[in-house]
Amino acid sequence: MGLVEDLLANKYLITPPAYYLLADYYKEAFTLAELIKFAKSRGTFVIDSTIANDFLHEKGMFSSPLEAPPEKTAVEPGPFEDVKSLETPSPAKNPPEPASPVEMSGQNAVSSESVTETPVLESQSQTSISTGEPSEMAIESTSSPELKPGKSTFPEGKSFVSTGTPGVKGDVEVSTGVREAAQNPPEDGSGEVLPVESGESGDVLVADASEPVTDDSSDASADSLPNGDYSNGYSNGNGYADSEEYYEENGEVKPKIVYGDYGVPIAYVEEEVPEGEKSYSTYSDLVITPREGFHYRAKEIPDDWEMVFDVKNVKFEAPKVKNAASKEGEIIIKAYIDYFKSRLKKMRRILRENPELGSVIDIGKLGYIGRDEEVTIIGLINSKRETSKGYMFEVEDSTGIIKVFINRNNEESKKFFQIMPDSVIGFRGRYSGRNIFFANKIFLPDVPKYKREKPPLEEKVYAVLLSDIHVGSNKFCEKAFEKFLEWLNGEVNNRKEEELVSRIKYMILDGDVVDGVGIYPGQYNELAIPDIFDQYEALYNLLRNVPDHITMFIGPGNHDAARTALPQPGFYEEYARPLFKLKNAVMISNPAVVRLHGRDFLIFHGRGIEDVVNFIPNRSHHRPAEASVDLLKLRHLAPTFGEKVPIAPDPEDTLVIESVPDLFQTGHVHVMEYKIYNGVFVINAGTWQAQTEFQKMVNIVPTPARVPIIDVETARLRAVVSFDRFCEGV
Ligand code: D5M
Ligand code: FE
Ligand code: ZN
């Protein structure tokens, strides 16, 4: 097998530029194990050119580490050609990659030579990576008075932009999420979101610490629960003590090794560790039963939900290559071509819903129109930068690449800052005839200003939004979570809370449900449960206490046992098996869309927020709702390829926000915040994990143990219930 297949078999991904750097050396100068070990040490599953270069340097395969390969001009037309073009190619999309010593000159497209024969490292004069600023020369040769080279907002030599204000990140001090949310009321001033403050307001719900706690139930046996037989872990449930599982050797009776599902050997009888002897708890004795006589109105309201979108249901077709013996490099490049073709197609459809767009023309056909004719082009943003007079973009569709300029005096040019690399944008304007398109209007895909009203529901019904529970972390707020479970079981403080609990019918868990193992360097020291199987079992033991009539939707995040790259189809069943046993839970993908009583909830763990914070000025990890709005405007959950968020090159781009949801939920950044944007309720559900040592280092201040309760009818916040007082000093 080749490098790509070997890496895939080990759940690692490689970007095309990295592939071309490494492929020729594979098995000759380095082994798979060495490469994986190196990637692991960098904490990544995606081998990009930075990793590849560093790896090669470490192996002493570069004579001069800082020597940049000479630039090469990319060939037009661009990327979206058919695979046949790979023989004389300018392959597809050019994944932007972090600047690396060897690629200082920028890297926008893999050149044709690299695909056909030039081994990158044998001849440094023939780099596989082009300059990424192909039309720059064209601009200068036009000697247009408007287009003097101006201040570039690119980080050194990179073709993708940092939109400036690097100092902003992390500078924003945030006290606590709920208060912050209250201080920043939703944009449209809708009165539906209740102001949430500390205790006085009737709608602010704070679980009362003075209430009696149902500790009396905590010593009940797990066996009394319907699923209580789970404590044996991953065996077939038969137990081990079957007489056929023993054999005699030298007069001694010994137990046989038993193989469970997936060929995992099950422990010998004498190695079975009885519950309680582990140095950590998996909550196997946590039993909370609904308070006697508590009336759940939600039980009488008929279920009304459907999965509108789940990645698992998307049928992906493998990329078509000419024959099975095609080079693996061709296959992977074809996969990226297909991925970006799909993105372009979907985004074009969304953009064309905007009647202001006017007539749209292929970039490749601009030469056929008159200089005075106003037209619209739609394309992927390869790069963007500030010039002395305005802003310049390099835009690409399936027929070609062009430079687009917009004057700074035009108000529209402010949209420059909203545009992330690789997003798809429309530009209206005129073609100069010299490979420059002069835009006077910029169209972000965006969501329509007004939302169609949905028919009212007969009864109030609520959904609870959770995220980032991080079970297994020693910073998991277990006490607070148990209090929350008791609350769901009717341990309420007043009538208002009773009404809420009574009508909760759905619960959404938006990823990072466990802390995982080996997710970041030094994590082991912060794990209360150092075993991934036990973490899921612990979560199961907690969630089985959620009343049966509440349907849970559970999706993965980056700490979970699931594919790291987006989209994440779901949990790996062999690790997260306990969750699949929950009777009232539905396992969903990340992202997913669940329709509750006719209202669409878009559920996304939220890694895309990291790139927003990186690229859009004045964004912060502490204001995730604002960043989610930016994603909504671009109608994509993770527009930028090759930066912080690994994206799998599926033949279809399932990260496009194809239809406008009623509610858009994220998590990941551990800060609860909400906002309304053009009728969409945008909310980050926060976390159940107190600040970790790592977060302390990077100045992330979480807002743990606050539960937003959503009124399904309006898809707006009904209340926030705080259990944070039980999470102090975790
Ligand atoms: O993410 C928890 C928070 O930590 C979230 O704000 C992202 C941030 N985070 C996670 N990994 C990193 C790295 N490597 N650098 C900087 N910030 C990071 P979680 O997914 O729960 O770990
Ligand atoms: Fe998290
Ligand atoms: Zn996360």
Side-chain angles (χ1 to χ4, degrees):
M1 288 206 297
L3 181 56
V4 175
E5 287 93 340
D6 288 347
L7 284 169
L8 281 174
N10 286 280
K11 303 197 164 53
Y12 279 75
L13 291 169
I14 186 165
T15 64
Y19 170 79
Y20 288 110
L21 287 171
L22 294 174
D24 291 327
Y25 292 80
Y26 183 44
K27 288 188 179 153
E28 303 279 313
F30 72 87
T31 64
L32 182 71
E34 286 174 298
L35 180 59
I36 287 184
K37 191 169 164 217
F38 186 82
K40 229 179 204 165
S41 74
R42 296 297 182 90
T44 179
F45 290 92
V46 180
I47 294 158
D48 61 17
S49 55
T50 308
I51 300 276
N53 273 315
D54 292 354
F55 175 70
L56 289 171
H57 290 151
E58 186 169 273
K59 303 265 330 159
M61 285 187 238
F62 264 150
S63 48
S64 162
L66 289 172
E67 193 178 304
E71 295 192 1
K72 220 169 167 5
T73 305
V75 203
E76 277 185 77
F80 297 95
E81 292 168 280
D82 219 53
V83 76
K84 64 181 181 318
S85 69
L86 287 169
E87 282 148 32
T88 49
S90 66
K93 184 46 205 159
N94 325 305
E97 299 219 337
S100 72
V102 179
E103 291 162 342
M104 284 306 201
S105 58
Q107 63 232 46
N108 221 19
V110 182
S111 79
S112 53
E113 286 87 339
S114 70
V115 179
T116 48
E117 67 240 342
T118 312
V120 180
L121 299 166
E122 278 166 28
S123 158
Q124 289 218 0
S125 63
Q126 289 271 346
T127 172
S128 68
I129 293 161
S130 81
T131 82
E133 285 294 274
S135 319
E136 201 59 13
M137 285 154 75
I139 294 166
E140 308 214 331
S141 66
T142 62
S143 60
S144 157
E146 290 193 71
L147 295 170
K148 302 222 177 64
K151 189 181 104 210
S152 169
T153 53
F154 297 173
E156 282 204 61
K158 253 182 93 205
S159 59
F160 282 92
V161 182
S162 133
T163 51
T165 55
V168 173
K169 260 179 282 170
D171 289 351
V172 183
E173 282 292 323
V174 169
S175 49
T176 57
V178 172
R179 288 216 178 85
E180 191 206 12
Q183 284 156 8
N184 296 311
E187 269 173 35
D188 71 357
S190 145
E192 289 166 7
V193 177
L194 300 171
V196 182
E197 256 300 341
S198 63
E200 284 90 57
S201 148
D203 288 304
V204 172
L205 301 164
V206 179
D208 189 342
S210 63
E211 276 298 297
V213 181
T214 55
D215 277 349
D216 47 11
S217 60
S218 63
D219 53 11
S221 152
D223 293 339
S224 63
L225 281 173
N227 290 323
D229 65 345
Y230 200 68
S231 54
N232 274 344
Y234 307 90
S235 75
N236 51 20
N238 293 338
Y240 314 128
D242 198 312
S243 59
E244 286 149 43
E245 290 169 358
Y246 288 80
Y247 68 103
E248 241 187 87
E249 189 182 277
N250 304 332
E252 256 183 87
V253 178
K254 286 187 168 177
K256 279 184 193 164
I257 296 176
V258 183
Y259 291 91
D261 297 350
Y262 297 87
V264 177
I266 289 168
Y268 285 102
V269 173
E270 58 264 35
E271 285 176 0
E272 187 184 356
V273 183
E275 274 303 329
E277 284 188 20
K278 273 181 187 153
S279 60
Y280 51 87
S281 158
T282 57
Y283 315 107
S284 56
D285 55 358
L286 180 76
V287 179
I288 306 169
T289 44
R291 204 174 88 188
E292 219 172 296
F294 190 87
H295 176 230
Y296 287 107
R297 186 72 192 108
K299 268 191 192 175
E300 293 144 23
I301 302 172
D303 264 354
D304 182 356
W305 64 266
E306 64 177 299
M307 285 310 301
V308 174
F309 173 76
D310 187 297
V311 178
K312 293 189 286 297
N313 302 332
V314 180
K315 297 266 175 300
F316 292 128
E317 273 183 36
K320 289 191 192 71
V321 283
K322 271 183 297 174
N323 57 59
S326 293
K327 275 196 199 161
E328 58 175 354
E330 290 183 15
I331 298 172
I332 198 159
I333 285 182
K334 178 69 167 85
Y336 284 102
I337 293 173
D338 287 354
Y339 174 78
F340 282 101
K341 264 187 178 168
S342 161
R343 175 181 299 190
L344 199 55
K345 190 171 163 201
K346 289 185 179 194
M347 297 304 301
R348 197 189 280 266
R349 200 182 308 139
I350 292 169
L351 275 153
R352 293 189 83 145
E353 282 168 14
N354 182 347
E356 289 175 44
L357 213 66
S359 53
V360 178
I361 184 167
D362 286 345
I363 290 173
K365 297 201 178 112
L366 281 171
Y368 301 114
I369 59 154
R371 300 269 166 101
D372 299 330
E373 208 175 324
E374 202 171 73
V375 289
T376 301
I377 55 170
I378 294 174
L380 272 150
I381 303 298
N382 276 348
S383 63
K384 64 168 194 178
R385 67 192 173 90
E386 211 167 334
T387 71
S388 53
K389 296 265 166 67
Y391 303 97
M392 181 73 87
F393 301 85
E394 186 187 276
V395 182
E396 172 170 4
D397 72 6
S398 51
T399 63
I401 300 178
I402 193 156
K403 290 271 169 189
V404 174
F405 176 81
I406 186 158
N407 198 290
R408 184 188 309 283
N409 299 330
N410 185 335
E411 269 297 293
E412 285 282 301
S413 70
K414 295 213 169 66
K415 291 181 183 164
F416 173 84
F417 298 101
Q418 284 282 316
I419 297 176
M420 291 170 65
D422 301 327
S423 52
V424 177
I425 304 294
F427 296 92
R428 186 146 189 86
R430 292 181 173 83
Y431 181 51
S432 70
R434 291 182 303 226
N435 202 29
I436 298 170
F437 186 86
F438 291 94
N440 53 45
K441 207 153 170 32
I442 298 179
F443 298 98
L444 303 189
D446 219 329
V447 298
K449 275 221 151 37
Y450 305 102
K451 217 172 53 147
R452 233 180 315 132
E453 281 290 307
K454 303 232 162 151
L457 302 182
E458 277 174 27
E459 285 249 23
K460 283 282 173 208
V461 51
Y462 302 138
V464 219
L465 308 185
L466 311 185
S467 192
D468 295 81
I469 306 175
H470 287 267
V471 171
S473 161
N474 64 15
K475 296 294 189 310
F476 164 53
C477 305
E478 59 180 7
K479 180 100 175 128
F481 200 76
E482 287 172 24
K483 288 283 176 195
F484 165 61
L485 291 170
E486 286 164 10
W487 189 77
L488 285 179
N489 279 283
E491 292 303 325
V492 293
N493 299 305
N494 53 47
R495 293 293 289 271
K496 214 147 209 155
E497 291 184 21
E498 187 178 322
E499 189 262 349
L500 278 177
V501 169
S502 158
R503 291 177 182 275
I504 292 172
K505 207 168 159 51
Y506 306 101
M507 185 193 278
I508 297 170
L509 292 86
D510 192 5
D512 284 2
V513 294
V514 300
D515 206 47
V517 175
I519 305 292
Y520 60 87
Q523 184 197 22
Y524 198 82
N525 302 325
E526 291 195 86
L527 286 179
I529 305 177
D531 175 290
I532 186 80
F533 293 95
D534 282 339
Q535 290 180 1
Y536 282 107
E537 189 178 349
L539 178 66
Y540 165 84
N541 285 330
L542 292 166
L543 294 183
R544 66 186 175 174
N545 292 299
V546 171
D548 289 348
H549 67 273
I550 297 179
T551 303
M552 296 180 268
F553 299 92
I554 312 180
N558 50 308
H559 282 249
D560 285 297
R563 168 164 101 175
T564 315
L566 295 182
Q568 296 180 290
F571 297 95
Y572 294 138
E573 201 170 336
E574 57 270 45
Y575 292 94
R577 185 166 306 188
L579 301 187
F580 292 79
K581 286 193 154 197
L582 287 162
K583 282 181 304 192
N584 50 337
V586 181
M587 297 300 135
I588 62 174
S589 60
N590 171 36
V593 179
V594 181
R595 186 169 293 158
L596 303 179
H597 301 257
R599 278 70 177 162
D600 287 356
F601 285 50
L602 169 58
I603 302 157
F604 174 51
H605 180 61
R607 286 204 68 184
I609 294 171
E610 289 182 44
D611 279 336
V612 174
V613 171
N614 229 6
F615 284 102
I616 301 186
N618 302 316
R619 294 298 180 268
S620 156
H621 278 102
H622 293 113
R623 294 194 314 275
E626 202 177 21
S628 301
V629 169
D630 295 323
L631 294 174
L632 262 185
K633 288 183 182 166
L634 297 173
R635 293 289 286 269
H636 201 282
L637 297 168
T640 303
F641 189 85
E643 288 289 326
K644 296 211 168 195
V645 188
I647 296 172
D650 292 328
E652 188 184 325
D653 185 357
T654 52
L655 300 172
V656 175
I657 304 173
E658 288 192 66
S659 59
V660 182
D662 296 288
L663 180 145
F664 176 22
Q665 176 185 356
T666 53
H668 184 56
V669 295
H670 296 201
V671 173
M672 207 205 73
E673 194 203 15
Y674 52 85
K675 236 180 187 9
I676 295 172
Y677 177 69
N678 287 359
V680 183
F681 191 72
V682 178
I683 182 162
N684 191 289
T687 184
W688 291 85
Q689 185 187 38
Q691 192 181 39
T692 63
E693 292 307 315
F694 175 77
Q695 289 164 3
K696 218 174 265 176
M697 258 163 26
V698 293
N699 196 24
I700 287 171
V701 186
T703 61
R706 294 172 189 192
V707 195
I709 314 261
I710 301 296
D711 178 349
V712 173
E713 179 175 38
T714 57
R716 300 285 188 267
L717 194 64
R718 172 72 181 80
V720 174
V721 191
S722 263
F723 296 90
D724 52 355
R725 71 185 61 190
F726 303 107
C727 188
E728 281 158 14
V730 172

